[in-house]
Amino acid sequence: MAGAPTDDGFPAERLFNQGYSYTYDDVIFLPHYIDFPTDAVQLSTKLTRNISLSIPCVASPMDTVTESSMAVSMAALGGIGIVHSNNSPSDQAAIIRSAKSHRIPFMSNLVFKSPSDSICSVEEFGSSPCILVTESGTGKSKLLGAVTKYDWEALDDKEAIVSGYMIKSPVSAPHDYDFEEVAAYLAAKNLDFVPLVREKDGEVVNVVTAADVERIQGFPKRGMPSIGPKGEFMVGAAIGTRESDKERLEHLVKAGVDVVVLDSSQGNSIYQIEMIKYVKRTYPELDLIGGNVVTMYQAQNLIQAGVDGLRVGMGSGSICTTQEVCAVGRGQATAVYKVSSIAKRNGVPVIADGGISNSGHIVKALVLGASTVMMGSFLAGSNEAPGAFEYQGGHRIKKYRGMGSLEAMMKGSDARYLGDTAKLKIAQGVVGAASDKGSVLKFLPYAMQAVKQGFQDLGVSSLQSAHDLLRSSVLRLEVRSGAAQVEGGVHGLVSYEKRPF
C-alpha cells in the first residue's frame, strides 16, 4: 500500500520539534492500512540489548507494586518484574530467590507452624486452605505435615498441639513442576491441594489447590514465559548509586538476578555514570538499565557509559509530583520519542516509565519508540501487588504510594532522589490507593489484546514495523484539542458502566 498523503497529519519528527511537551493524551495517531488479522500482531520485544520478552510489560520497582508474587506472575505472562530496593539487601535478595524458585504463575500465602504449636483461631489460616507443619515452624525447614481448615474446625479441643492431629507426611510434588504438571498431578491423585517441595532441602515453595487450578484455567491463555538460561523465571531488581549499593548488588548477583535497574529520578549524574562503569567492570555479563532520563543529552551520557537499556520518564507517574515540586521533567510522549531517537542509533532499547493509564497509552508509548512500558498504577491494586486489601468508602483498595512520598522515603527511597544526605526531606510523590483490579494474570492479557488491535488499526504487525513506519513518516499524528480529548472518551451520558473486558 502506498504511503499516506504527506499533507494529512504530521510526521513525528515535525510534531515533536515545535517546542511543546506532549503527554500521551495530547497526541493521537491517524489510522493506516490493514492487511493482516489481529492475531498476526507480534508483541515480542527487547528489554535490554541481550534480554528478550514475549510481551512489552515491566512491573515498576515500587514497594507497593513489585515483590515476589508480582515478579512470578509477570514472568509467567512473558514480561518481567523489577523488585524494589526499599528494603535491606538480604531481604531484596530473598525476594529474588523466592520468585526464581517458582515455575507456576502465582504464589500462595503460606502459613507455617511447628509440631508443638497450636492453632487458636480460624483466622490463622488466612486465605490458605491449610497450615503447613515444619520442623522449625518456618518455611526454612523440612515439611512434616499439614492441617486443613476442615480438620481443625472438626476438633473438639481447639488448643491441641498440631502434631496430634496433622496429616503426617502429606503428598507433595517437586517445586520445579510447571502449572500443567501440577494440575495433572492433582487430578491424577484426586487431591484438594498439594505442597510443592524443593527436593534438595525439603522446603515448601508453594501450595496449589484444585480451586487454584480451576481459577487459573479460567484466565486467558498465557504466552511464552520469560525464562532465563538456567530455566528459571527471569527477575530484575533495582539498586541505587551509593557506595552501599555495591554490596547490595553482590547479594543480588548471588541470588541470580537477571537484570539490574539503576533507580534514580534523574539519572544523568556523576553518581550513576560511575556506578554504570563499576557494574560493567565488575559484572560484565549482567545487563544494566540506566535512568531515568527524558532528554537526548541525558540519554547519550548514559549510553556512552555503557548501559544496556534506558528508562524514560520524569514526573509523569500518577503518584509523582516531581514536575510540580522541582519544575523539571517532560511530557511523556515527547520524552519517549526524543530519547528513543538517539537510543535506536546505538541499539539500546527504551523503557517508557510512567503515564500508563490504559491500553491506548501503551500503544502510543510503543509506537513512539519504546520497546517496553513500565507500569506502576496500572498494576497497583492487583492481587499480586504487595499489601492487604482494605475498604475505603465502600471500595476495595490497596495502598499505592510514590517512592518519592515522605512515607516511602522514611524507608530509604530518598536516595533515589539524591536526598538521603539532606537534613530536610522534600516529597516528590504522594500516598494514595488503587482499586481492586483482580489478578494481573487476567487483566494484562486483555490489555495486550487491546494493544494488538491498536497496532492493527495502524497497519503495523510488530514493534519493529511500528518504529520503522514512524521514522519513515508513514505513520502520522496530530495534536488533540481539549474538546477532542473529551470527545475521544465516554461523554454525553447520564450514567454508564465501563468494562474493558
Side-chain angles (χ1 to χ4, degrees):
M1 184 70 182
T6 56
D7 61 347
D8 200 358
F10 295 89
E13 184 176 7
R14 179 178 172 188
L15 189 74
F16 290 108
N17 280 293
Q18 300 181 91
Y20 293 100
S21 189
Y22 293 124
T23 68
Y24 294 136
D25 284 336
D26 287 328
V27 297
I28 192 75
F29 283 103
L30 303 186
H32 192 42
Y33 177 73
I34 299 174
D35 59 358
F36 54 84
T38 307
D39 289 344
V41 177
Q42 298 294 319
L43 296 180
S44 55
T45 187
K46 286 278 193 181
L47 174 70
T48 64
R49 294 181 195 267
N50 305 302
I51 295 177
S52 298
L53 301 176
S54 299
I55 62 171
C57 299
V58 184
S60 181
M62 303 172 71
D63 58 8
T64 51
V65 176
T66 310
E67 291 187 349
S68 297
S69 186
M70 183 66 75
V72 165
S73 293
M74 290 298 292
L77 288 167
I80 194 169
I82 310 297
V83 176
H84 70 88
S85 58
N86 222 18
N87 48 20
S88 70
S90 59
D91 285 347
Q92 189 182 20
I95 292 172
I96 299 292
R97 290 191 184 93
S98 174
K100 293 182 75 67
S101 68
H102 287 71
R103 301 292 183 279
I104 61 174
F106 66 93
M107 289 180 64
S108 300
N109 294 318
L110 304 181
V111 183
F112 297 96
K113 292 283 187 181
S114 72
S116 60
D117 286 336
S118 298
I119 300 171
C120 301
S121 167
V122 70
E123 294 178 356
E124 293 192 42
F125 285 86
S127 60
S128 179
C130 65
I131 288 178
L132 303 169
V133 184
T134 62
E135 291 176 339
S136 66
T138 70
K140 299 294 183 183
S141 58
K142 186 177 180 180
L143 177 66
L144 301 177
V147 177
T148 68
K149 190 181 297 185
Y150 176 82
D151 288 342
W152 181 82
E153 289 177 334
L155 284 177
D156 292 327
D157 180 10
K158 295 290 196 293
E159 296 182 358
I161 62 172
V162 295
S163 60
Y165 61 92
M166 69 182 184
I167 302 169
K168 294 181 173 63
S169 302
V171 176
S172 62
H175 83 286
D176 56 0
Y177 270 16
D178 62 24
F179 178 73
E180 286 70 26
E181 288 173 318
V182 174
Y185 190 86
L186 279 167
K189 300 285 187 180
N190 195 28
L191 299 171
D192 290 328
F193 68 91
V194 62
L196 304 184
V197 177
R198 188 159 41 219
E199 293 171 327
K200 68 177 182 179
D201 53 20
E203 286 187 21
V204 179
V205 171
N206 210 343
V207 171
V208 182
T209 69
D212 289 329
V213 170
E214 184 177 355
R215 176 175 62 90
I216 299 299
Q217 288 175 337
F219 290 162
K221 185 178 179 181
R222 300 180 303 281
M224 292 294 294
S226 301
I227 302 294
K230 295 182 180 180
E232 301 172 326
F233 280 156
M234 287 200 292
V235 183
I239 65 170
T241 57
R242 300 310 195 199
E243 192 66 26
S244 60
D245 286 293
K246 295 177 181 179
E247 179 185 351
R248 179 182 291 272
L249 179 60
E250 184 179 356
H251 281 270
L252 297 174
V253 170
K254 289 178 179 177
V257 72
D258 294 283
V259 59
V260 166
V261 173
L262 292 181
D263 196 17
S264 175
S265 65
Q266 211 285 53
N268 186 33
S269 68
I270 185 63
Y271 314 110
Q272 181 154 152
I273 289 171
E274 288 181 350
M275 181 62 83
I276 292 167
K277 293 176 180 178
Y278 169 81
V279 175
K280 300 310 290 185
R281 182 173 66 249
T282 310
Y283 306 101
E285 302 301 316
L286 180 64
D287 272 33
L288 182 66
I289 296 168
N292 280 30
V293 297
V294 292
T295 70
M296 299 172 76
Y297 168 67
Q298 288 177 300
Q300 184 62 49
N301 281 348
L302 301 193
I303 290 170
Q304 289 177 347
V307 295
D308 302 296
L310 282 170
R311 187 176 169 196
V312 177
M314 190 173 189
S316 56
S318 63
I319 39 64
C320 186
T321 59
T322 297
Q323 293 185 19
E324 174 186 327
V325 172
C326 300
V328 291
R330 200 172 205 175
Q332 189 67 343
T334 300
V336 169
Y337 176 76
K338 288 289 192 177
V339 174
S340 297
S341 299
I342 192 167
K344 185 175 179 62
R345 292 181 224 152
N346 294 273
V348 176
V350 159
I351 302 170
D353 174 25
I356 301 295
S357 299
N358 53 54
S359 58
H361 291 162
I362 299 175
V363 173
K364 291 175 183 179
L366 296 175
V367 177
L368 287 173
S371 293
T372 55
V373 293
M374 180 172 280
M375 297 175 288
S377 64
F378 199 86
L379 304 176
S382 65
N383 295 349
E384 292 78 10
F389 283 108
E390 304 171 11
Y391 283 90
Q392 187 178 92
H395 298 284
R396 196 165 185 251
I397 57 97
K398 272 188 181 180
K399 178 187 285 188
Y400 176 53
R401 68 186 184 192
M403 298 303 281
S405 65
L406 290 178
E407 186 176 286
M409 283 186 173
M410 295 303 291
K411 292 189 66 178
S413 68
D414 49 354
R416 183 178 191 273
Y417 300 85
L418 303 180
D420 50 324
T421 59
K423 292 181 179 179
L424 300 178
K425 305 295 183 187
I426 304 299
Q428 294 187 40
V430 300
V431 178
S435 61
D436 180 4
K437 295 185 178 70
S439 175
V440 298
L441 297 171
K442 182 177 183 179
F443 70 76
L444 203 53
Y446 279 103
M448 291 301 98
Q449 184 64 24
V451 170
K452 288 184 177 183
Q453 291 180 357
F455 271 44
Q456 183 191 41
D457 284 342
L458 289 169
V460 297
S461 58
S462 67
L463 270 73
Q464 185 60 55
S465 172
H467 296 169
D468 290 344
L469 290 183
L470 185 78
R471 300 295 172 188
S472 63
S473 300
V474 172
L475 292 183
R476 319 284 282 192
L477 304 92
E478 287 181 343
V479 176
R480 295 200 293 176
S481 66
Q485 292 183 41
V486 171
E487 183 181 69
V490 180
H491 61 281
L493 302 178
V494 174
S495 64
Y496 66 92
E497 181 183 10
K498 191 171 184 179
R499 297 181 61 185
F501 54 82

